[in-house]
Amino acid sequence: MFNKINAITLVMTLLTAPVMAANNNSGVDTNNSSFSNQDRYSDVNQFVGQGDNSFDAMIAEDNNANTIVTTVGGKKVTLKDDSKSSLADDWKAGFDLQCVDWKITGGCIWLKFEVFSVSVKTSLKVSHYSPDAIVEVFHDINDTPTSYAKLNNKVAKSLGNSLFSKVTLKGNKMNNNDSEGDGFHDVHVMGNPLITLHDSIIGTMYNQIGYCDSGATPFKTYMHSFTDIEWRLGIWETVNAFRYAYMSITDKASVQVNDYGANPAGALWGSLYPRIGRTENPSPFIGAAISALRAGVLVTNSSGIHTVMKMGNSTDGKQFFDNKVDLQNGKWKVLLPKKFAGKQCTTMPFSGVSNYAGTNEPKTDSRNYVFQMWRKYVCCERKGAYIGGW
């Protein structure tokens, strides 16, 4: 089995290119008041020059693939396909300065060695968040929620079918029209397609003082549940069940997601462990959010025998400090459902979903959800050999 896992890991490094595919135009909300120009690229030409010709063509095609022309009140209008998430959604959500939360947090001390001297140098330590990854959560590999990840999903499906049994791959899918009971969620963690553009624009604003470039690779698959047998079987996670149970007692805040804003006693969303596709919360949205969180933790932390690609740091001449995603570190934005998209940038849980009566969940008929994962960076400009900091 370990040879198979290594083979998957090798092949997954090749999943770095997008493919555009026509979208199913079902699930469109025809309430025209819900759609403003900001919901689309109002002028695709504004992106010309921001990337190469292939990038510009991808922007235009993705925009067209995620809209539909229909008639409302006797007039033709262009609306979003509310069952899909586009690069436009990613673009808008990624340029939230409040979510970037840039600040100076201290400094670093360096020894600089030259031919005839040794000097002490200092540099500022800064922290901020970066929208490093897009996390798709879905139930049907043939109907995933982002057009730009079609190739990655197609290759993952082929690999999964080749390497694992069909029985194993089938998993436990939730009935898409039923909000009751347990659910099994497939996930795909991809490097944000626009992260390089984000760095070039946001980084320019802060670079004179200090900015930590993202270590994520655009379009790269860091984890796909169709090629991770542990996500489905939970062998390692089961072995660690007693340790996780002990952590739930001794350090509840590090393993359990509770919404204390909805209920003083806490409305339990779920647990970080076991890190598998099955969640116990009857809310499809909450189950999807917990699945996205587990996947984000796996690609930035120790992953056991899960088949993942570790999301590392940039190699841009800076000293980086721990930037793992967990319950206290890392922020999340919803990209799909679109009626909830971009409204919050927070560690989980999202407020306003749980209430005394149960949940006020933002639903999608397809049970497809997309989250933008923001990773916290702390870094100093490298000026020699690192000897300490504050």
Side-chain angles (χ1 to χ4, degrees):
M1 184 175 73
F2 287 100
N3 289 333
K4 291 182 178 179
I5 290 177
N6 290 333
I8 299 169
T9 302
L10 176 63
V11 175
M12 285 177 70
T13 61
L14 302 176
L15 305 182
T16 58
V19 63
M20 298 298 119
N23 287 287
N24 178 3
N25 288 325
S26 61
V28 175
D29 186 341
T30 56
N31 179 4
N32 193 34
S33 63
S34 300
F35 303 95
S36 65
N37 287 335
Q38 293 181 347
D39 288 326
R40 309 178 57 232
Y41 293 113
S42 56
D43 181 7
V44 176
N45 291 328
Q46 68 182 289
F47 296 95
V48 173
Q50 300 290 348
D52 57 21
N53 292 335
S54 298
F55 179 86
D56 295 331
M58 177 189 68
I59 294 289
E61 187 169 356
D62 179 75
N63 184 49
N64 292 333
N66 283 278
T67 57
I68 182 174
V69 177
T70 188
T71 300
V72 177
K75 296 181 179 180
K76 285 187 177 182
V77 293
T78 302
L79 306 177
K80 298 178 303 181
D81 182 348
D82 207 37
S83 68
K84 304 292 181 180
S85 180
S86 71
L87 285 169
D89 302 315
D90 182 23
W91 172 263
K92 287 188 302 177
F95 289 90
D96 181 346
L97 293 184
Q98 186 174 359
C99 198
V100 172
D101 192 22
W102 182 94
K103 62 184 67 172
I104 298 173
T105 60
C108 295
I109 304 172
W110 313 86
L111 277 181
K112 184 174 182 179
F113 298 91
E114 297 178 304
V115 178
F116 298 108
S117 65
V118 177
S119 58
V120 177
K121 300 288 185 180
T122 61
S123 60
L124 290 175
K125 181 186 292 184
V126 300
S127 73
H128 64 83
Y129 286 85
S130 176
D132 279 2
I134 301 297
V135 184
E136 299 180 287
V137 184
F138 54 91
H139 294 282
D140 185 354
I141 190 67
N142 299 309
D143 183 28
T144 51
T146 62
S147 61
Y148 50 81
K150 290 294 184 183
L151 177 59
N152 303 55
N153 286 314
K154 183 177 181 180
V155 173
K157 177 184 177 182
S158 178
L159 282 172
N161 282 324
S162 299
L163 296 168
F164 305 128
S165 71
K166 292 183 179 180
V167 174
T168 300
L169 267 177
K170 186 176 181 181
N172 298 287
K173 300 286 194 293
M174 184 191 299
N175 183 341
N176 283 344
N177 296 314
D178 184 7
S179 294
E180 301 299 325
D182 299 347
F184 182 88
H185 304 266
D186 278 303
V187 296
H188 173 211
V189 183
M190 166 191 270
N192 190 332
L194 302 179
I195 192 61
T196 303
L197 189 57
H198 177 276
D199 274 356
S200 67
I201 296 176
I202 300 295
T204 300
M205 299 173 60
Y206 299 106
N207 201 44
Q208 293 301 317
I209 305 175
Y211 189 79
C212 316
D213 290 333
S214 171
T217 302
F219 295 105
K220 179 177 179 178
T221 289
Y222 288 92
M223 175 187 174
H224 202 295
S225 58
F226 259 64
T227 58
D228 180 19
I229 194 170
E230 178 67 4
W231 186 261
R232 308 189 111 72
L233 298 185
I235 300 170
W236 173 258
E237 302 292 337
T238 300
V239 170
N240 282 277
F242 290 108
R243 181 167 70 91
Y244 299 152
Y246 179 74
M247 291 171 63
S248 297
I249 298 172
T250 60
D251 191 13
K252 183 183 294 187
S254 70
V255 297
Q256 288 189 354
V257 180
N258 273 286
D259 186 356
Y260 292 101
N263 189 329
L268 181 62
W269 276 38
S271 176
L272 176 58
Y273 302 102
R275 296 170 300 181
I276 58 176
R278 174 170 287 279
T279 58
E280 302 303 323
N281 198 298
S283 161
F285 173 83
I286 291 177
I290 295 297
S291 297
L293 174 64
R294 290 174 178 175
V297 169
L298 284 172
V299 301
T300 61
N301 287 265
S302 173
S303 57
I305 64 171
H306 285 272
T307 308
V308 302
M309 298 292 290
K310 186 72 177 292
M311 186 178 291
N313 289 320
S314 172
T315 56
D316 64 350
K318 294 182 173 66
Q319 173 75 28
F320 286 87
F321 301 89
D322 186 20
N323 58 353
K324 297 176 180 177
V325 171
D326 54 29
L327 270 66
Q328 287 78 39
N329 298 290
K331 296 182 181 180
W332 298 86
K333 270 196 168 186
V334 177
L335 299 187
L336 191 70
K338 293 189 177 182
K339 289 183 179 179
F340 196 75
K343 293 183 178 180
Q344 298 179 42
C345 182
T346 179
T347 56
M348 291 188 188
F350 298 101
S351 63
V353 176
S354 299
N355 55 39
Y356 283 99
T359 62
N360 183 30
E361 59 175 302
K363 297 181 181 179
T364 63
D365 290 338
S366 64
R367 292 296 187 263
N368 284 338
Y369 300 90
V370 181
F371 300 88
Q372 191 179 63
M373 185 185 82
W374 291 66
R375 194 161 54 137
K376 185 176 183 178
Y377 282 84
V378 180
C379 71
C380 290
E381 182 182 354
R382 188 181 297 276
K383 293 189 175 183
Y386 179 73
I387 59 174
W390 69 93

